[in-house]
Amino acid sequence: MIRLPPDKKDAVRIEGEEAYPDECCGFLLGTLEKDGLRNVVEILPVANARERKERHHRFHIDADDFMRAERQARSGELDIVGFYHSHPDHPAEPSEYDREHALPFYSYVIVAVSKGIARELTSWELLPDRSRFNQEY
Amino acid sequence: MAVTILIPTALRVFAGVQAEVTVEGDTAGRAIEAFADKFPDIRQHLFDENNALRSFVNVYIGEKNIKTVNGLDTPVRDGDALMLVPAIAGGTGAI
């Protein structure tokens, strides 16, 4: 389960609107609580590393960006607890492409952006057997 | 020589829920092999059936991706930290 404070949700929505009509993406940095809660304390936007013509329906986080985010998290005694991305003119539901590329454990926050305006924001966790996502909220 | 493996959060469940472990090895490949020997459940997530590093797994020594150096044969020094970095992607999939 994830705890994403309202100001962090707003920040993700703004990222989604600013990237429109492309997909935005970034990291969720936070703490891992003993009860399994992923408590987000910081969002870290990064560039969508997909080629220009693919960014409207795909995102990719460059490995160098992951390495730097991991270093930043560890230096602040935080962990990478998930990722966020936007779905321009598409529901805030994970696609089959999302499922194929997701990893268990992490939270995947998705914000729907319709005609440039951020709408629904959801969070998902992939089951360990990779069969489907569970909606966290 | 002793090197530290920095483990991403998603893989820690396969490594005793530790954020880092120390193993022995003189190349990146031998160090990761030693890590997989120590935690057998993690091997399938790092190596394919041909024992090659999976394409979506990157390994960094400091700020260098070993793919840009000498791959798994990249030498490591005592005290080096090897960071395992998964590839992250997704999207609507809509055409």
Side-chain angles (χ1 to χ4, degrees):
Chain A
M1 190 54 72
I2 186 175
R3 178 182 171 275
L4 187 63
D7 64 316
K8 303 299 183 289
K9 290 180 184 174
D10 289 345
V12 170
R13 288 190 173 97
I14 290 169
E15 287 290 319
E17 291 180 351
E18 289 183 348
Y20 186 88
D22 291 340
E23 294 197 7
C24 70
C25 56
F27 295 86
L28 308 174
L29 308 185
T31 55
L32 301 172
E33 307 300 329
K34 285 191 169 62
D35 59 1
L37 179 74
R38 293 178 282 273
N39 184 36
V40 177
V41 299
E42 186 176 343
I43 74 158
L44 179 61
V46 291
N48 183 346
R50 282 302 300 249
E51 55 273 41
R52 184 72 190 85
K53 65 183 174 60
E54 297 290 338
R55 288 182 204 154
H56 69 285
H57 69 153
R58 297 272 193 270
F59 80 92
H60 171 71
I61 293 179
D62 187 82
D64 283 359
D65 285 328
F66 193 112
M67 176 270 294
R68 284 188 281 268
E70 182 78 37
R71 283 173 171 267
Q72 179 173 328
R74 287 176 183 258
S75 69
E77 298 188 353
L78 299 174
D79 286 299
I80 294 172
V81 298
F83 310 93
Y84 69 86
H85 72 283
S86 59
H87 278 183
D89 298 317
H90 204 80
E93 298 171 2
S95 65
E96 180 61 13
Y97 189 83
D98 282 325
R99 190 191 64 78
E100 289 170 356
H101 291 79
L103 292 168
F105 169 80
Y106 293 121
S107 287
Y108 288 83
V109 167
I110 302 174
V111 60
V113 183
S114 177
K115 295 182 170 57
I117 306 297
R119 306 289 186 188
E120 190 183 14
L121 186 146
T122 58
S123 184
W124 307 80
E125 180 182 24
L126 187 69
L127 294 183
D129 67 3
R130 305 185 54 83
S131 61
R132 63 181 176 84
F133 281 98
N134 257 350
Q135 186 166 5
E136 298 184 297
Y137 64 74
Chain B
M1 47 201 72
V3 298
T4 302
I5 307 289
L6 304 176
I7 309 163
T9 36
L11 294 181
R12 290 178 196 168
V13 66
F14 306 109
V17 202
Q18 299 175 87
E20 57 186 65
V21 299
T22 300
V23 297
E24 293 287 329
D26 56 1
T27 65
R30 290 196 184 98
I32 296 167
E33 273 288 343
F35 175 54
D37 286 345
K38 199 168 186 175
F39 300 101
D41 289 345
I42 211 165
R43 177 174 292 278
Q44 63 177 321
H45 300 284
L46 301 179
F47 296 102
D48 64 18
E49 59 278 8
N50 298 314
N51 213 32
L53 197 64
R54 291 191 180 278
S55 60
F56 53 81
V57 176
N58 292 279
V59 180
Y60 281 78
I61 302 173
E63 299 205 346
K64 282 277 187 190
N65 189 330
I66 64 169
K67 286 178 180 171
T68 67
V69 188
N70 205 16
L72 291 173
D73 294 327
T74 303
V76 294
R77 294 175 300 184
D78 198 47
D80 272 350
L82 270 63
M83 183 185 292
L84 302 176
V85 170
I88 302 297
T92 66
I95 305 302

